[in-house]
Amino acid sequence: MAGWSEHTGQAVGLPLENVDTDQLIPARFMSAPRSAGYGGYLLHDLRQGPDGAPDPAFPLNRAEGASILIARRNFGCGSSREAAVYALADAGFRVVVAPSFGDIFASNAVGNGVLPARVTDADAESLLNRAPLALTVDLEACELRHKGGTVPFEIDPVWRLKLINGWDDIDLTRAYGDRIAAHATRWAAQAPWSVPPG
Amino acid sequence: MTGAPATLFDKLWSAHEVVRRDDGASLLWVDRHLVHEGSHHGFAKLAARDLPVARPDLTFAVADHYVPTRGVPAVGSDIARMIRQLAENAARHGIRHFGMGDARQGIVHVIGPELGLTLPGLLVVCGDSHTSTHGALGAMAFGIGATEVAHVLATQTLWQKKPRRMRLRFDGALGPGVGAKDMALNWIARLGADGAGGHAIEYAGSAVRALSVEGRLTLCNLSIEGGGRLGIVAPDAATLDWLRGRDFAPADWDHAAEAWAALVSDPDAVFDREEVIDATEIAPIVTWGTSPEEALPITATVPDPDRAGAAADRVRAALDYMGLVPGRPLIGTPVDQVFIGSCTNARIEDLRAAAAVLAGRRARVPGRVSPGSAQVAAQAMAEGLDRVFIEAGLDWVGSGCSMCVGMNGDLVAPGMRCASTTNRNFRGRQGPGARTHLMSPAMVAAAAVTGTLADVRPLLKGRV
Ligand code: SF4
């Protein structure tokens, strides 16, 4: 995963609360391998009208090339399906701006280089009012900048570093191999039932 | 114990912390890693790096999300491929696997506790958000994404930032016909679907103590629907009685039981947040909207968007999707079908609660009953519960996730209204255009016999 610290792109507004992972990608698409590309599944059932044709009123259908999504509270609530992030990433999104996120979704996002940027309710509303708009996302300063001003955002410091450095956890963790082995040995002695009978 | 007073969660966390980095991230040792068909992305990431599974003996695979609850999957179908892929990954890495037809197969969050794979004090993870269920036994358990699944497969550890600590106390006794599902929907409606965001919830109070282990599993299952990272209940005599003799229960039981006695929050432990709910005031609850927070006592009326203030648009959109009219009583809303199943409410007590309402009565609408595991199915059949469901006119099918998520093809048709014991009423969760009302198994049984949303309490008179 490549790290990044600044991104400028077009931001599109999705003025909804509780955009859950079943909206982000309906379950029926999840058996596909990632190599197939998940972008076409993003918000699939919200993007289409009852007749199956793209709904022209839906914001994402009017925002070709957008890379930043602005939404209301509790974005990405629901399932642990990382496919929800694959759908966003494969559709070109690098940043989601919202007042709160589902915890597992946020962690999955960071694991895929997508920033879940937390802003106040008031800032989310004011950005939604201006959308679509051009935004610069500065991970160093934790700021969103647009022509009309600057909005601060919050991100867990651990996640911020991970996004900037593009760290790969598996490689990082292997450097702790000795400590892991020592812990495993001590714990198996202290709680023998933690290792199930063969 | 020495040192500062600690919460149960603090104790579980520190027992599993291998290292803590300066930036606050902790590397945690994982005791049980449960995988299912949906874990294919995690296995693919492992294969891309050509890495082995670090601890196959601590990893268990079960087919649940895609398994047909009737018959076998069509040759060459996507479903057959998903089930085979899991079996192949398990075989390749030497992972114990409970596939279709295995006597120990079932929904991952039903079989983990049932087999004694989940034990007090352990860290359990799975690529599924309802892993919070396992906390009912005093384990630390939470859902992870595919990148994390690959990390656990490769290292048997996980990087996590410690969540904040929240205690949610239910004081007093529940009324008749009210259970764990109602407690859960009550607090989620009160605090919101992100109400416990960033927190590990410890459930406490007399109403939680009085719950059976099955009830606690239901309560912990729904932690994620209120935004909680995980839910835990301190183990007690009920936990130990429930676990003793399970397939993977400790050989040295007394030693384990003695260690588990320390798994409580110290009396003066400090939580980051405390919430208290009066259990005596909880009524049977149903959801009316498209988020679990959109829930009301069955005796209420459908909310009016014009009185919802800032939430007006959301309420209007939800009612539009659900096909409900503001101001009408919830009771009497016709339903098209019912579903009893899922990791929330398909354990033996759930089936008994539904059967108590259905016995000697006919369902007015079609419905499906999918026991949570093959073992639950066997127990239910030994008690004659399958006959009760069948004689009421419902379908008794095999175990799996089934209509909770519809991946196996068990779907609610567009526009149809389903009274369901599951955990998510999201748009399209049970199928495109499906209208889901979440409620307890007894309430679903009441909906079946009346053909409408109904209060189960009058139907229980003289029965329990
Ligand atoms: S029953 Fe539903 S919620 Fe539970 S694991 Fe299966 S799909 Fe997930």
Side-chain angles (χ1 to χ4, degrees):
Chain A
M1 185 176 100
W4 62 276
S5 49
E6 192 172 295
H7 170 76
T8 298
Q10 188 69 9
V12 59
L14 185 64
L16 296 174
E17 295 174 31
N18 295 327
V19 175
D20 59 70
T21 49
D22 283 76
Q23 304 310 304
L24 287 168
I25 179 168
R28 61 185 185 279
F29 300 123
M30 282 170 36
S31 61
R34 174 75 186 277
S35 54
Y38 271 48
Y41 307 139
L42 177 66
L43 293 161
H44 185 276
D45 293 352
L46 283 179
R47 294 177 86 150
Q48 305 201 331
D51 55 354
D55 174 1
F58 192 69
L60 260 67
N61 290 337
R62 294 181 298 175
E64 264 311 295
S67 59
I68 302 165
L69 188 64
I70 307 163
R72 293 196 168 124
R73 76 177 176 102
N74 208 22
F75 187 91
C77 61
S79 126
S80 63
R81 57 180 75 162
E82 197 162 302
V85 177
Y86 301 161
L88 279 162
D90 291 358
F93 286 95
R94 306 283 301 277
V95 181
V96 184
V97 179
S100 62
F101 293 91
D103 283 346
I104 311 179
F105 169 84
S107 157
N108 289 342
V110 171
N112 288 276
V114 173
L115 164 68
R118 221 164 49 235
V119 297
T120 63
D121 278 299
D123 283 338
E125 290 307 318
S126 103
L127 287 170
L128 283 168
N129 282 332
R130 291 167 186 267
L133 79 167
L135 264 186
T136 293
V137 182
D138 184 341
L139 253 176
E140 296 286 355
C142 288
E143 279 176 3
L144 309 173
R145 289 190 292 271
H146 57 87
K147 267 207 304 238
T150 298
V151 175
F153 70 84
E154 283 184 30
I155 169 89
D156 180 290
V158 174
W159 285 351
R160 181 173 154 273
L161 283 181
K162 190 168 163 180
L163 284 165
I164 291 175
N165 295 310
W167 278 337
D168 178 289
D169 279 348
I170 293 181
D171 287 342
L172 269 186
T173 306
R174 292 167 111 201
Y176 294 95
D178 293 347
R179 311 234 349 221
I180 296 170
H183 183 98
T185 307
R186 193 174 59 240
W187 179 238
Q190 188 189 332
W193 51 88
S194 67
V195 180
Chain B
M1 289 290 286
T2 51
T7 69
L8 168 55
F9 176 63
D10 294 324
K11 295 178 187 181
L12 296 175
W13 187 272
S14 53
H16 289 85
E17 194 172 57
V18 178
V19 279
R20 188 183 318 160
R21 280 198 319 240
D22 292 343
D23 63 9
S26 300
L27 185 65
L28 301 178
W29 175 255
V30 173
D31 295 305
R32 298 284 183 275
H33 185 197
L34 309 174
V35 296
H36 54 87
E37 307 96 300
S39 309
H40 67 101
H41 287 296
F43 280 105
K45 285 171 193 277
L46 196 73
R49 293 166 165 264
D50 202 17
L51 288 172
V53 172
R55 290 293 299 266
D57 60 326
L58 304 182
T59 313
F60 291 82
V62 63
D64 60 359
H65 279 67
Y66 287 83
V67 292
T69 44
R70 226 192 235 120
V72 292
V75 179
S77 65
D78 244 17
I79 290 176
R81 178 173 58 82
M82 294 300 285
I83 293 169
R84 195 184 56 239
Q85 198 173 34
L86 177 70
E88 286 170 359
N89 276 321
R92 179 173 313 128
H93 296 288
I95 295 167
R96 274 174 278 194
H97 171 236
F98 310 121
M100 264 189 84
D102 192 298
R104 299 198 272 198
Q105 181 270 341
I107 304 171
V108 61
H109 310 310
V110 175
I111 69 154
E114 170 180 277
L115 296 177
L117 288 170
T118 307
L119 295 170
L122 300 189
L123 171 52
V124 180
V125 299
C126 171
D128 187 282
S129 58
H130 292 99
T131 308
S132 59
T133 312
H134 305 250
L137 297 178
M140 177 160 70
F142 51 87
I144 56 178
T147 299
E148 294 173 319
V149 166
H151 189 275
V152 178
L153 289 171
T155 68
Q156 201 58 30
T157 61
L158 193 61
W159 288 102
Q160 291 284 300
K161 177 85 184 286
K162 191 177 179 184
R164 291 185 294 277
R165 299 152 299 186
M166 169 170 171
R167 179 158 55 191
L168 185 48
R169 231 174 61 213
F170 289 89
D171 289 338
L174 294 171
V178 181
K181 183 70 160 284
D182 303 300
M183 291 165 74
L185 290 175
N186 178 288
W187 82 256
I188 296 165
R190 197 179 289 224
L191 301 183
D194 56 354
H199 286 80
I201 307 168
E202 179 176 346
Y203 296 100
S206 50
V208 173
R209 283 287 138 230
L211 284 177
S212 65
V213 170
E214 274 90 352
R216 296 174 190 182
L217 288 160
T218 300
L219 186 63
C220 287
N221 175 274
L222 288 153
S223 305
I224 183 77
E225 304 312 327
R229 192 75 182 92
L230 58 93
I232 4 173
V233 176
D236 59 11
T239 320
L240 267 63
D241 287 346
W242 193 90
L243 270 173
R244 201 191 306 263
R246 303 262 167 195
D247 289 24
F248 292 90
D252 187 356
W253 178 264
D254 293 341
H255 180 195
E258 196 190 322
W260 294 340
L263 297 179
V264 289
S265 288
D266 295 333
D268 34 8
V270 179
F271 289 80
D272 299 296
R273 192 168 156 203
E274 300 248 22
E275 297 285 343
V276 180
I277 290 176
D278 181 355
T280 61
E281 291 190 347
I282 301 176
I285 293 184
V286 297
T287 60
W288 53 266
T290 55
S291 160
E293 71 184 9
E294 293 170 337
L296 281 167
I298 181 65
T299 48
T301 53
V302 175
D304 184 348
D306 293 336
R307 295 189 189 174
D313 287 349
R314 169 169 64 82
V315 172
R316 198 169 289 116
L319 294 183
D320 186 44
Y321 179 83
M322 292 298 291
L324 292 173
V325 182
R328 291 261 185 87
L330 285 164
I331 290 179
T333 305
V335 301
D336 300 296
Q337 63 195 95
V338 302
F339 176 64
I340 297 173
S342 88
C343 60
T344 306
N345 280 129
R347 282 169 276 269
I348 189 68
E349 279 198 2
D350 301 314
L351 301 188
R352 286 180 191 142
V357 177
L358 285 160
R361 293 181 170 134
R362 287 285 302 172
R364 294 206 185 175
V365 291
R368 187 169 314 200
V369 183
S370 175
S373 70
Q375 286 199 18
V376 169
Q379 174 72 27
M381 287 161 86
E383 296 179 19
L385 303 183
D386 58 325
R387 298 308 317 163
V388 173
F389 295 122
I390 292 164
E391 279 159 22
L394 301 180
D395 289 340
W396 171 256
V397 301
S399 80
C401 296
S402 183
M403 210 170 254
C404 173
V405 69
M407 287 178 175
N408 72 339
D410 291 354
L411 292 171
V412 174
M416 292 291 122
R417 189 180 303 286
C418 182
S420 182
T421 66
T422 53
N423 44 46
R424 289 194 172 133
N425 52 343
F426 298 163
R427 285 163 182 263
R429 168 79 175 183
Q430 293 190 298
R435 293 167 169 165
T436 305
H437 293 272
L438 306 177
M439 63 195 81
S440 72
M443 285 286 285
V444 168
V449 300
T450 59
T452 66
L453 299 183
D455 191 336
V456 68
R457 290 172 292 189
L459 294 167
L460 286 171
K461 291 236 162 66
R463 292 198 171 212
V464 284

